[in-house]
Amino acid sequence: MHKITQQEKGSLSITALWMLALLTLAGVTLAEKVVTTVRQDSYRWRVIQAQWLARAGVMQAMQILQIDASTQDSLPPYDALNEPWAFQPAAFQKVPCGNGYFEVGYLDNAVPGDRNLVYGIYDENRKPNLNKLPGDLLARLPGMTPDKVDALLDWIDSDELPRKAGAESEYYQSLKQPYSCKNDVLTYLDELRLIRGFQELDVQRLAPLVTLFGDGTVNINTATKTSLHLLGLPKETAAKIIALRNGPDGIPFTDDDIVFRNPTQILPMLQKRITISQEDQIVIKGLISAGFLGVHSSYFRIESTGVIPGKEMIRKTIIAIVYRKNRNELKVVRWIE
Ligand SMILES: [Ca+2]
Ligand SMILES: [Ca+2]
């Protein structure tokens, strides 16, 4: 996958984009028939069709997120892996459209099965937000040292007062190629390399473990085992919670999954269904009251690929991060094409 453009986009009308996508596909198909005499042109049109197919996949995913929000029956709403947005091959696997098909899905090694590909949308709330984690939880991340924790916190906080082992503008301005401390949250994980002590390896190590989106609440219904561990729970407890969540069949995305519908339900349900130490209960209680553990997701990553089959198969992938505030408000906050 390669990045061609990266841009911030505002609110989009799903219906309008769907119409545009379908019209363009129809137009491209028609146009292709006209210009097939030139082989090179044909290839170019096939690439454009694949791009629009990928966009159609994003629109399909956004529509499913919107439908999910409008059928929320509880307040506050909850999101879980047994809902249609999280796994729905009928809507996301090899969906025929125009001269090809689109697929919406992501790789997950924790999920057994064909290619470990999950046909669904990935919620960013299954990971902790690096921008919101306090020092003691940052220290649990791989490769972290007290110096790096302090430097990261100084990079994010708005003041110019360095922590004990931290660094603010005074340090960065003293470098050969000087720059100022950002004093704001990270927009891209690559920015880590600007912070004292961080290297490319940190970016690679942290990318699968943390997000930069959301208010910092990890959704207990979708959280990975590693996320729960990073929040302060022992690995065994994290594994027990995931096993409980998977339900009697032992796998996620199915009807028998156990769902936490409300934050107040988390502790009583865990006490009732699994053996959980007093110590872990205190940790969970603290996480819920500090807003680090909840039952709801608001940021979603849609990974859509448009495919034009043939002797020379063409694949184009789009990654869109979508913020869902409520049923009427779905916003594309990042678009990588
Ligand atoms: Ca600062
Ligand atoms: Ca299950």
Side-chain angles (χ1 to χ4, degrees), residues 24-78:
T24 307
L25 275 172
V28 166
T29 310
L30 185 71
E32 190 194 34
K33 283 190 178 123
V34 178
V35 293
T36 39
T37 43
V38 185
R39 220 173 151 192
Q40 254 180 333
D41 275 358
S42 172
Y43 176 80
R44 194 162 57 85
W45 285 118
R46 282 153 56 82
V47 169
I48 293 169
Q49 284 181 76
Q51 278 165 343
W52 277 97
L53 280 169
R55 285 177 204 193
V58 175
M59 294 313 125
Q60 169 104 315
M62 285 176 74
Q63 202 158 39
I64 286 167
L65 282 174
Q66 205 164 31
I67 293 166
D68 177 62
S70 61
T71 54
Q72 300 277 11
D73 57 356
S74 72
L75 271 172
Y78 71 88

Coordinates of all heavy atoms in Angstrom, one line a residue, residues 24-78:
T24 N -20.3 7.7 -11.7 CA -18.9 7.7 -12.2 C -18.6 6.3 -12.8 O -18.0 6.2 -13.9 CB -17.9 8.1 -11.2 OG1 -18.4 9.4 -10.6 CG2 -16.5 8.3 -11.8
L25 N -19.0 5.3 -12.0 CA -18.7 3.9 -12.5 C -19.4 3.7 -13.8 O -18.8 3.2 -14.8 CB -19.2 2.9 -11.5 CG -18.2 2.6 -10.4 CD1 -18.9 1.7 -9.3 CD2 -17.0 1.9 -10.9
A26 N -20.7 4.1 -13.9 CA -21.4 4.0 -15.2 C -20.7 4.8 -16.3 O -20.5 4.3 -17.4 CB -22.8 4.5 -15.0
G27 N -20.3 6.0 -15.9 CA -19.7 6.9 -16.9 C -18.3 6.3 -17.3 O -18.0 6.3 -18.5
V28 N -17.6 5.8 -16.3 CA -16.3 5.2 -16.7 C -16.4 4.0 -17.6 O -15.7 3.8 -18.6 CB -15.5 4.9 -15.4 CG1 -14.3 4.0 -15.7 CG2 -15.1 6.1 -14.7
T29 N -17.5 3.2 -17.3 CA -17.7 2.0 -18.1 C -18.0 2.4 -19.5 O -17.5 1.9 -20.5 CB -18.9 1.2 -17.5 OG1 -18.6 1.0 -16.1 CG2 -19.0 -0.2 -18.2
L30 N -18.9 3.4 -19.6 CA -19.3 3.9 -21.0 C -18.1 4.5 -21.7 O -17.8 4.2 -22.8 CB -20.4 5.0 -20.8 CG -21.0 5.5 -22.1 CD1 -21.9 4.5 -22.7 CD2 -21.8 6.8 -21.8
A31 N -17.4 5.3 -20.9 CA -16.2 6.0 -21.5 C -15.2 4.9 -22.0 O -14.6 5.0 -23.0 CB -15.6 6.9 -20.5
E32 N -15.1 3.8 -21.2 CA -14.1 2.8 -21.5 C -14.5 2.2 -22.9 O -13.6 1.9 -23.7 CB -14.1 1.7 -20.4 CG -13.0 0.7 -20.6 CD -13.2 -0.5 -19.7 OE1 -14.3 -0.9 -19.6 OE2 -12.2 -1.0 -19.3
K33 N -15.8 2.0 -23.1 CA -16.2 1.3 -24.3 C -15.8 2.2 -25.5 O -15.5 1.7 -26.6 CB -17.7 1.1 -24.3 CG -18.1 -0.1 -23.5 CD -19.6 -0.5 -23.6 CE -19.8 -1.7 -22.7 NZ -20.9 -1.5 -21.8
V34 N -15.8 3.5 -25.3 CA -15.5 4.4 -26.4 C -14.1 4.4 -26.8 O -13.7 4.5 -27.9 CB -16.0 5.9 -26.0 CG1 -15.7 6.9 -27.1 CG2 -17.5 5.9 -25.7
V35 N -13.2 4.3 -25.8 CA -11.8 4.5 -26.0 C -11.0 3.2 -26.0 O -9.8 3.2 -25.8 CB -11.2 5.5 -25.0 CG1 -11.7 6.8 -25.2 CG2 -11.4 5.0 -23.6
T36 N -11.7 2.0 -26.1 CA -10.9 0.8 -26.0 C -9.9 0.6 -27.1 O -9.1 -0.3 -27.0 CB -11.9 -0.5 -26.0 OG1 -12.9 -0.2 -26.9 CG2 -12.4 -0.7 -24.6
T37 N -9.9 1.4 -28.1 CA -9.0 1.2 -29.2 C -7.6 1.4 -28.7 O -6.6 0.8 -29.2 CB -9.3 2.2 -30.3 OG1 -9.6 3.5 -29.7 CG2 -10.4 1.8 -31.2
V38 N -7.4 2.3 -27.7 CA -6.0 2.5 -27.2 C -5.8 1.7 -25.9 O -6.5 1.9 -25.0 CB -5.8 4.0 -27.0 CG1 -4.3 4.2 -26.6 CG2 -6.1 4.8 -28.2
R39 N -4.9 0.8 -25.9 CA -4.7 -0.1 -24.8 C -4.3 0.6 -23.6 O -4.8 0.3 -22.5 CB -3.7 -1.2 -25.2 CG -4.0 -2.5 -24.7 CD -3.1 -3.5 -25.2 NE -3.0 -4.6 -24.3 CZ -2.1 -5.5 -24.3 NH1 -1.1 -5.5 -25.2 NH2 -2.0 -6.5 -23.5
Q40 N -3.5 1.5 -23.7 CA -3.0 2.3 -22.5 C -4.1 3.0 -21.8 O -4.2 3.0 -20.6 CB -2.0 3.4 -23.0 CG -0.6 3.0 -22.6 CD 0.4 4.1 -23.1 OE1 0.1 4.8 -24.1 NE2 1.5 4.2 -22.4
D41 N -5.1 3.6 -22.6 CA -6.2 4.2 -22.0 C -7.0 3.2 -21.3 O -7.5 3.5 -20.2 CB -7.1 4.9 -23.1 CG -6.5 6.2 -23.5 OD1 -5.6 6.6 -22.8 OD2 -7.0 6.9 -24.4
S42 N -7.2 2.1 -21.8 CA -8.0 1.0 -21.1 C -7.4 0.8 -19.7 O -8.2 0.7 -18.8 CB -8.0 -0.2 -22.0 OG -8.6 -1.3 -21.2
Y43 N -6.1 0.7 -19.7 CA -5.5 0.4 -18.4 C -5.8 1.5 -17.4 O -6.1 1.3 -16.2 CB -4.0 0.2 -18.5 CG -3.2 0.1 -17.2 CD1 -3.2 -1.2 -16.6 CD2 -2.6 1.2 -16.6 CE1 -2.6 -1.3 -15.4 CE2 -2.0 1.0 -15.4 CZ -2.0 -0.2 -14.8 OH -1.4 -0.4 -13.6
R44 N -5.7 2.8 -17.9 CA -5.9 3.9 -17.0 C -7.3 3.9 -16.5 O -7.6 4.2 -15.4 CB -5.6 5.2 -17.9 CG -5.5 6.4 -17.0 CD -4.8 7.5 -17.8 NE -5.5 7.8 -19.0 CZ -6.5 8.7 -19.1 NH1 -6.9 9.3 -18.1 NH2 -7.0 8.9 -20.3
W45 N -8.3 3.6 -17.4 CA -9.7 3.6 -17.0 C -9.9 2.5 -16.0 O -10.7 2.6 -15.0 CB -10.6 3.4 -18.2 CG -10.7 4.6 -19.0 CD1 -10.4 4.8 -20.3 CD2 -11.3 5.9 -18.6 NE1 -10.6 6.1 -20.7 CE2 -11.2 6.7 -19.7 CE3 -11.8 6.3 -17.4 CZ2 -11.6 8.1 -19.6 CZ3 -12.2 7.6 -17.3 CH2 -12.1 8.5 -18.4
R46 N -9.2 1.4 -16.1 CA -9.4 0.3 -15.2 C -8.9 0.7 -13.8 O -9.5 0.4 -12.7 CB -8.6 -1.0 -15.6 CG -9.4 -1.7 -16.7 CD -8.5 -2.5 -17.6 NE -7.6 -3.5 -16.9 CZ -8.0 -4.7 -16.5 NH1 -9.2 -5.1 -16.8 NH2 -7.2 -5.4 -15.9
V47 N -7.8 1.5 -13.8 CA -7.3 2.0 -12.5 C -8.4 2.9 -11.8 O -8.6 2.9 -10.7 CB -6.0 2.7 -12.7 CG1 -5.6 3.5 -11.4 CG2 -4.9 1.8 -13.1
I48 N -8.9 3.8 -12.7 CA -9.9 4.7 -12.2 C -11.2 4.0 -11.6 O -11.7 4.3 -10.6 CB -10.4 5.8 -13.3 CG1 -9.2 6.7 -13.6 CG2 -11.6 6.6 -12.8 CD1 -9.4 7.5 -14.8
Q49 N -11.6 3.0 -12.3 CA -12.7 2.1 -11.9 C -12.4 1.5 -10.5 O -13.2 1.5 -9.6 CB -13.0 1.1 -12.9 CG -13.7 1.6 -14.1 CD -14.0 0.4 -15.1 OE1 -14.9 -0.4 -14.9 NE2 -13.2 0.3 -16.1
A50 N -11.2 1.0 -10.4 CA -10.8 0.3 -9.1 C -10.8 1.4 -8.0 O -11.3 1.1 -6.9 CB -9.4 -0.3 -9.2
Q51 N -10.4 2.6 -8.3 CA -10.4 3.7 -7.3 C -11.9 4.0 -6.8 O -12.2 4.1 -5.6 CB -9.8 4.9 -7.8 CG -8.3 4.9 -7.7 CD -7.6 6.0 -8.5 OE1 -8.2 6.6 -9.5 NE2 -6.3 6.3 -8.3
W52 N -12.8 4.0 -7.8 CA -14.2 4.3 -7.5 C -14.8 3.2 -6.8 O -15.7 3.4 -5.9 CB -14.9 4.8 -8.7 CG -14.7 6.2 -8.9 CD1 -13.8 6.8 -9.8 CD2 -15.3 7.3 -8.2 NE1 -13.8 8.2 -9.7 CE2 -14.7 8.5 -8.7 CE3 -16.3 7.4 -7.3 CZ2 -15.1 9.8 -8.3 CZ3 -16.7 8.7 -6.8 CH2 -16.1 9.8 -7.3
L53 N -14.4 2.0 -7.1 CA -14.9 0.8 -6.4 C -14.5 0.9 -4.9 O -15.3 0.6 -4.0 CB -14.4 -0.5 -7.0 CG -15.2 -0.9 -8.3 CD1 -14.4 -2.1 -9.0 CD2 -16.6 -1.4 -7.9
A54 N -13.3 1.2 -4.7 CA -12.8 1.4 -3.3 C -13.6 2.4 -2.5 O -14.0 2.3 -1.4 CB -11.3 1.7 -3.3
R55 N -13.9 3.5 -3.3 CA -14.8 4.6 -2.7 C -16.2 4.1 -2.4 O -16.7 4.4 -1.3 CB -14.9 5.8 -3.6 CG -13.6 6.6 -3.6 CD -13.6 7.7 -4.6 NE -12.2 8.1 -4.9 CZ -11.8 9.2 -5.5 NH1 -12.7 10.0 -5.9 NH2 -10.6 9.4 -5.8
A56 N -16.7 3.3 -3.3 CA -18.0 2.7 -3.0 C -18.0 1.8 -1.8 O -19.0 1.8 -1.0 CB -18.4 1.8 -4.3
G57 N -16.9 1.1 -1.5 CA -16.8 0.3 -0.3 C -16.8 1.2 0.9 O -17.5 0.8 1.9
V58 N -16.1 2.3 0.9 CA -16.1 3.3 2.0 C -17.6 3.8 2.3 O -18.0 3.8 3.4 CB -15.2 4.5 1.8 CG1 -15.3 5.5 2.9 CG2 -13.7 4.0 1.6
M59 N -18.3 4.1 1.2 CA -19.7 4.6 1.3 C -20.6 3.5 1.9 O -21.4 3.8 2.8 CB -20.2 5.0 0.0 CG -19.5 6.2 -0.6 SD -19.3 7.5 0.5 CE -17.6 7.8 0.4
Q60 N -20.4 2.3 1.5 CA -21.2 1.2 2.0 C -20.9 1.0 3.5 O -21.9 0.9 4.3 CB -20.8 -0.1 1.3 CG -21.3 -1.4 1.9 CD -22.4 -2.0 1.1 OE1 -23.3 -1.2 0.7 NE2 -22.4 -3.2 0.9
A61 N -19.7 1.1 3.9 CA -19.3 1.0 5.3 C -19.9 2.1 6.1 O -20.4 1.9 7.2 CB -17.8 1.0 5.5
M62 N -19.9 3.4 5.6 CA -20.4 4.5 6.3 C -21.9 4.4 6.5 O -22.4 4.7 7.5 CB -20.1 5.8 5.6 CG -18.6 6.2 5.7 SD -18.1 7.7 4.8 CE -18.9 9.0 5.7
Q63 N -22.5 3.9 5.5 CA -24.0 3.7 5.6 C -24.3 2.7 6.7 O -25.3 2.9 7.5 CB -24.5 3.2 4.3 CG -26.0 3.4 4.1 CD -26.3 3.4 2.6 OE1 -25.8 2.6 1.8 NE2 -27.2 4.3 2.2
I64 N -23.5 1.6 6.8 CA -23.8 0.6 7.8 C -23.5 1.2 9.2 O -24.2 0.9 10.2 CB -22.9 -0.7 7.5 CG1 -23.6 -1.4 6.4 CG2 -22.8 -1.6 8.7 CD1 -22.7 -2.5 5.7
L65 N -22.5 2.1 9.3 CA -22.3 2.7 10.6 C -23.4 3.6 11.0 O -23.8 3.7 12.2 CB -21.0 3.5 10.5 CG -19.7 2.8 10.7 CD1 -18.5 3.7 10.4 CD2 -19.5 2.1 12.0
Q66 N -24.0 4.3 10.0 CA -25.1 5.1 10.2 C -26.4 4.4 10.7 O -27.1 4.7 11.6 CB -25.5 5.9 9.0 CG -26.1 7.2 9.2 CD -26.1 8.2 8.0 OE1 -26.0 7.7 6.9 NE2 -26.0 9.5 8.3
I67 N -26.6 3.3 10.0 CA -27.8 2.4 10.4 C -27.6 1.9 11.8 O -28.5 1.9 12.6 CB -27.9 1.2 9.4 CG1 -28.3 1.7 8.0 CG2 -28.9 0.2 9.9 CD1 -28.2 0.7 6.9
D68 N -26.3 1.5 12.1 CA -26.0 1.0 13.4 C -26.4 2.0 14.5 O -27.0 1.7 15.5 CB -24.6 0.6 13.5 CG -24.2 0.1 14.9 OD1 -24.7 -0.9 15.4 OD2 -23.3 0.7 15.6
A69 N -26.0 3.3 14.2 CA -26.3 4.3 15.2 C -27.8 4.6 15.3 O -28.2 4.9 16.4 CB -25.6 5.6 14.7
S70 N -28.5 4.4 14.2 CA -30.0 4.7 14.3 C -30.8 3.6 15.0 O -31.9 3.8 15.3 CB -30.5 5.1 12.9 OG -30.4 4.0 12.1
T71 N -30.1 2.4 15.1 CA -30.8 1.3 15.8 C -30.3 1.1 17.2 O -30.7 0.1 17.9 CB -30.6 0.0 15.0 OG1 -29.3 -0.2 14.9 CG2 -31.3 0.1 13.7
Q72 N -29.6 2.1 17.7 CA -29.1 2.0 19.1 C -30.3 2.0 20.0 O -31.1 2.9 20.0 CB -28.2 3.1 19.5 CG -26.9 3.3 18.6 CD -25.8 2.4 19.1 OE1 -26.0 1.5 19.9 NE2 -24.6 2.5 18.5
D73 N -30.4 1.0 20.9 CA -31.6 1.0 21.8 C -31.3 1.3 23.2 O -32.1 1.2 24.1 CB -32.3 -0.4 21.7 CG -31.4 -1.5 22.0 OD1 -30.2 -1.3 22.2 OD2 -31.8 -2.7 22.0
S74 N -30.0 1.5 23.5 CA -29.7 1.8 24.9 C -29.0 3.2 25.0 O -28.4 3.7 24.0 CB -28.7 0.7 25.4 OG -27.5 0.9 24.8
L75 N -29.1 3.8 26.1 CA -28.4 5.0 26.4 C -27.6 4.9 27.6 O -28.1 4.5 28.7 CB -29.4 6.2 26.6 CG -29.9 6.9 25.3 CD1 -31.0 7.8 25.6 CD2 -28.7 7.6 24.6
P76 N -26.3 5.2 27.6 CA -25.5 5.6 26.5 C -25.4 4.4 25.5 O -25.5 3.2 26.0 CB -24.2 5.9 27.0 CG -24.1 5.2 28.3 CD -25.5 5.1 28.8
P77 N -25.2 4.6 24.2 CA -25.1 3.5 23.3 C -23.9 2.6 23.5 O -22.9 3.1 24.1 CB -25.1 4.2 21.9 CG -24.5 5.6 22.2 CD -24.9 5.9 23.6
Y78 N -24.0 1.4 23.1 CA -22.8 0.5 23.1 C -22.5 0.0 21.7 O -23.3 0.1 20.8 CB -23.1 -0.7 24.1 CG -24.1 -1.7 23.5 CD1 -23.6 -2.7 22.7 CD2 -25.5 -1.5 23.7 CE1 -24.5 -3.6 22.1 CE2 -26.3 -2.4 23.1 CZ -25.9 -3.5 22.3 OH -26.8 -4.3 21.8

